[in-house]
Amino acid sequence: MVPNDDGTSDMKHEENAKIDARVVHKLDFILLPFLSIFFLASSLDRSNVGNAESANFTEDAGLAPQDLNTSVAIFFAVFVSLQPLGAALGRNYGMVKFVPSCMIVWGFCTTLHIWVQTKWQLILLRTIIGILEAGFYPVTVSYMSMFYTRYEFAKRLSIFYGQSAVAGVVGGLLSYGVFSIFPASPADPTAWRPWQVLFCIEGFLTIVIALSGFFFLPYGPEDAWFFSKEEQKWAGERILLDRASPATAISHKHDTEDHDDNEDSEQATNLLRRTSTAAASIRTHISENPTTSTGLTSQDVLSALTSWQLWWLLLCNILSAIPVSSFSVFLPLIVRGLTGASPSSASLSNLLSVPPFITGAIVLFSFAIYSDRTQARLKPILYGLAILLAGLTGVVMLPHGSKNNPEQQHTYITLRYIALCIMVSGSFVASPLTVTWISTNTLSPGKRAIMLGINGWGNFAGVIGAQLFSPKYGPDYVLPFFITLGSVGLSFVGFGVFRNLIVAENAKRARMMVEWTEEEVEAEQNEGVGPLVNDRGGVRGWIRRGVAVVVAAVMKEGVDFVDDGARRGDEKMSFMYSL
């Protein structure tokens, strides 16, 4: 935009900048902390059985140690398989109603662990919690993306997702405090066990937090109670402007000589200079408002299910998430095995689990800031996996030392514990930045919700981890660590190949668009009907058509309506994927 002689353009830019700063400030200090507390409660309720087991939960309840692993595996199996359904339900009913309602029920189930006496009671409670937590993460992340622009998102998502690491810190410290204040009393079998106190406290906190959500959470940026009328209007417009900018990343052949590979960065910088008139124009060219928390179309479902990027990232996500899924539950037990802490010292095992989670939170936040500043997602993922691999290698390769040489044994225990901290520090990076990449490159909120739900199947790693870190492999867990090392190595290769494929796809689209006229580019940007004819032949074409038939049957719509031939969002040839 060229400023007028009277400087009105610069004045408008300065005014927008001030409003934008106020909007982001309020989001960062009001909405984000509240959502983070939600995720903290979710993470605590998911992982507290590991803390409880360090205080002899299964033994006191008359269960076998393997029963805990079985319940955790079933939890993750249900949790993973129902994530797309949970995402769809959350999208249909809205974040404000759906998530707090689920939290209240699972908080009550957490409290009911106090009276567990049989294997099937434990499995039933973990199954119900898994069902209710299934939609939490994709629904909440999709909700967050309604408030933040693409290059504000990674840092904020890391704060949100980082609560899984913070939950390890809080859970460890809370368990340490509870187990120290309420030690087991063998002399009084009627007295509450320390793990019962832990379940009671955490379940009650979840219910209280959930109830506040009904009154605190806004339905969208344009009706947020903590914004003024002016801020509400701009909060919605800034998301519309941001979501539209990827669709103009490639220009027509008469404008390509000065094309910059960092166009997205320039567009993000110019966001404030774009006006309400521009936002209104953009609103007429999108099929779905990105600032609403409800609504799902059959085209969203079809586009999500036929995205090859989604399935590739899902496989990499499963392989890379085995450490974090396992450690979130079993780290107190793993620490006890690696450090040789006494099984009777539940408080010490939980206290020693705190530093690894602290390093995990610090590294995650640092990488997220780097990711937003460089506007890169895939490279930081690779760097995080490299740290994880380095720590895993140390845990696997360092010897235990001789019991006949206490000084040497102590040295190796210290080194292995340091390696464990390094390993955990890199384990939290991949998942949130993968979610950020999907959110950044998926314009439709409906499709985004489905993709995030399916990407949540990455938590299948929890099923694998529950079987790997079984009591039969303890206390040193040598075989599980070797298998985890191989899985993370494969994930590293997968993410590297994926980045190269995206670079190649962007280059192919750029070459194609150079040959199109301005009118053809505009038709592609607005309607997804440029001169490229969708290929309905070949394996991909038949797969898409088959999926369209299923989606049409489920949503009771015509196949030709579901698969109408138009390209949407990132399917458009005018769309350039960010890396």
Side-chain angles (χ1 to χ4, degrees):
M1 180 183 292
V2 180
N4 296 330
D5 292 338
D6 59 3
T8 56
S9 177
D10 285 340
M11 291 176 61
K12 181 65 176 177
H13 171 68
E14 184 177 352
E15 180 183 349
N16 284 348
K18 290 180 179 179
I19 298 173
D20 195 70
R22 293 201 304 269
V23 166
V24 174
H25 183 81
K26 287 184 177 181
L27 290 173
D28 286 346
F29 286 91
I30 299 176
L31 183 64
L32 181 59
F34 191 77
L35 293 176
S36 297
I37 292 173
F38 264 44
F39 193 47
L40 176 62
S42 170
S43 299
L44 283 172
D45 290 334
R46 190 183 316 161
S47 62
N48 51 20
V49 289
N51 301 106
E53 178 61 8
S54 68
N56 302 317
F57 165 46
T58 55
E59 181 181 342
D60 292 342
L63 308 176
Q66 184 60 39
D67 293 342
L68 178 72
N69 293 72
T70 302
S71 70
V72 170
I74 293 175
F75 165 86
F76 276 108
V78 173
F79 175 70
V80 167
S81 60
L82 294 181
Q83 286 221 351
L85 177 60
L89 289 173
R91 179 68 191 167
N92 187 56
Y93 292 106
M95 161 79 182
V96 179
K97 296 177 181 177
F98 180 76
V99 169
S101 299
C102 291
M103 289 183 68
I104 289 172
V105 181
W106 92 53
F108 180 67
C109 290
T110 297
T111 306
L112 289 180
H113 280 67
I114 293 170
W115 293 285
V116 166
Q117 293 181 334
T118 68
K119 173 182 177 180
W120 295 109
Q121 288 175 343
L122 177 61
I123 289 176
L124 177 61
L125 289 176
R126 301 313 294 179
T127 300
I128 294 174
I129 294 174
I131 292 171
L132 295 169
E133 285 206 31
F136 174 85
Y137 187 72
V139 171
T140 310
V141 170
S142 181
Y143 176 79
M144 282 179 59
S145 69
M146 293 161 34
F147 294 88
Y148 287 107
T149 62
R150 291 170 298 146
Y151 298 114
E152 296 168 344
F153 194 56
K155 182 166 64 176
R156 276 75 182 187
L157 181 61
S158 75
I159 293 173
F160 176 76
Y161 180 81
Q163 300 311 303
S164 57
V166 174
V169 176
V170 173
L173 291 175
L174 180 61
S175 300
Y176 173 75
V178 169
F179 299 163
S180 299
I181 297 172
F182 301 96
S185 177
D188 185 5
T190 62
W192 270 34
R193 301 297 180 184
W195 52 266
Q196 290 178 308
V197 178
L198 182 68
F199 282 130
C200 183
I201 293 173
E202 293 186 355
F204 179 76
L205 286 175
T206 297
I207 294 172
V208 172
I209 292 168
L211 286 172
S212 64
F214 290 115
F215 308 98
F216 189 90
L217 294 172
Y219 285 92
E222 294 173 331
D223 69 351
W225 58 268
F226 45 80
F227 287 151
S228 66
K229 292 294 183 183
E230 183 182 38
E231 291 166 350
Q232 286 178 341
K233 182 179 179 182
W234 174 247
E237 288 177 355
R238 68 195 290 270
I239 301 303
L240 284 170
L241 294 167
D242 177 68
R243 294 296 184 266
S245 56
T248 58
I250 307 177
S251 186
H252 58 86
K253 62 182 179 181
H254 304 296
D255 295 330
T256 55
E257 293 180 2
D258 298 323
H259 179 72
D260 187 351
D261 290 336
N262 294 319
E263 189 80 15
D264 280 342
S265 176
E266 183 179 342
Q267 288 170 347
T269 303
N270 291 334
L271 177 64
L272 296 173
R273 293 189 179 275
R274 303 173 74 178
T275 64
S276 299
T277 303
S281 175
I282 291 166
R283 198 183 293 269
T284 65
H285 292 302
I286 59 177
S287 59
E288 197 171 352
N289 188 347
T291 63
T292 59
S293 61
T294 59
L296 186 68
T297 68
S298 54
Q299 290 84 6
D300 290 333
V301 178
L302 175 64
S303 184
L305 293 178
T306 56
S307 169
W308 70 266
Q309 294 96 332
L310 171 63
W311 301 106
W312 187 294
L313 287 175
L314 174 60
L315 179 59
C316 294
N317 201 16
I318 291 173
L319 294 172
S320 67
I322 291 175
V324 69
S325 298
S326 304
F327 303 152
S328 65
V329 178
F330 299 112
L331 189 60
L333 305 178
I334 294 171
V335 167
R336 188 169 68 188
L338 288 179
T339 60
S342 171
S344 62
S345 181
S347 57
L348 177 60
S349 298
N350 282 279
L351 186 62
L352 288 173
S353 70
V354 170
F357 284 119
I358 291 176
T359 60
I362 292 173
V363 170
L364 171 58
F365 297 153
S366 301
F367 272 57
I369 293 172
Y370 166 76
S371 174
D372 270 348
R373 286 181 177 174
T374 61
Q375 299 180 7
R377 314 302 183 196
L378 300 176
K379 276 188 177 180
I381 289 175
L382 293 171
Y383 296 154
L385 291 176
I387 294 174
L388 172 55
L389 285 169
L392 265 171
T393 302
V395 171
V396 168
M397 301 305 295
L398 285 170
H400 293 269
S402 173
K403 292 183 179 180
N404 297 326
N405 190 337
E407 184 177 347
Q408 182 193 63
Q409 187 180 37
H410 177 74
T411 300
Y412 283 126
I413 286 175
T414 302
L415 291 175
R416 296 185 81 202
Y417 182 72
I418 293 173
L420 179 70
C421 291
I422 295 173
M423 175 179 63
V424 175
S425 72
S427 65
F428 289 95
V429 175
S431 183
L433 290 187
T434 300
V435 169
T436 304
W437 190 92
I438 292 173
S439 299
T440 298
N441 290 287
T442 309
L443 304 187
S444 164
K447 177 182 177 181
R448 189 184 313 130
I450 295 297
M451 291 188 68
L452 292 176
I454 295 174
N455 182 69
W457 285 349
N459 286 293
F460 180 73
V463 180
I464 299 173
Q467 300 305 311
L468 281 179
F469 291 91
S470 171
K472 65 182 179 181
Y473 297 119
D476 49 10
Y477 300 102
V478 173
L479 179 60
F481 277 123
F482 268 109
I483 294 175
T484 303
L485 179 62
S487 299
V488 175
L490 288 174
S491 175
F492 182 88
V493 173
F495 275 111
V497 173
F498 179 80
R499 186 180 186 280
N500 290 335
L501 290 174
I502 294 300
V503 170
E505 177 67 20
N506 284 345
K508 184 183 78 171
R509 293 185 179 191
R511 290 193 301 268
M512 183 182 301
M513 295 291 287
V514 165
E515 303 303 322
W516 289 11
T517 66
E518 183 175 0
E519 291 75 18
E520 291 169 339
V521 171
E522 185 175 355
E524 182 72 8
Q525 290 175 346
N526 293 340
E527 306 294 337
V529 290
L532 177 67
V533 177
N534 281 330
D535 183 11
R536 291 293 180 257
V539 175
R540 291 184 64 181
W542 283 107
I543 291 176
R544 183 180 178 89
R545 196 63 175 175
V547 174
V549 170
V550 175
V551 172
V554 172
M555 304 193 75
K556 298 180 181 180
E557 296 174 347
V559 176
D560 291 332
F561 176 79
V562 175
D563 190 14
D564 57 7
R567 291 177 289 274
R568 294 175 173 81
D570 62 301
E571 295 175 343
K572 294 178 181 178
M573 294 300 104
S574 56
F575 184 94
M576 289 285 280
Y577 291 102
S578 68
L579 299 176

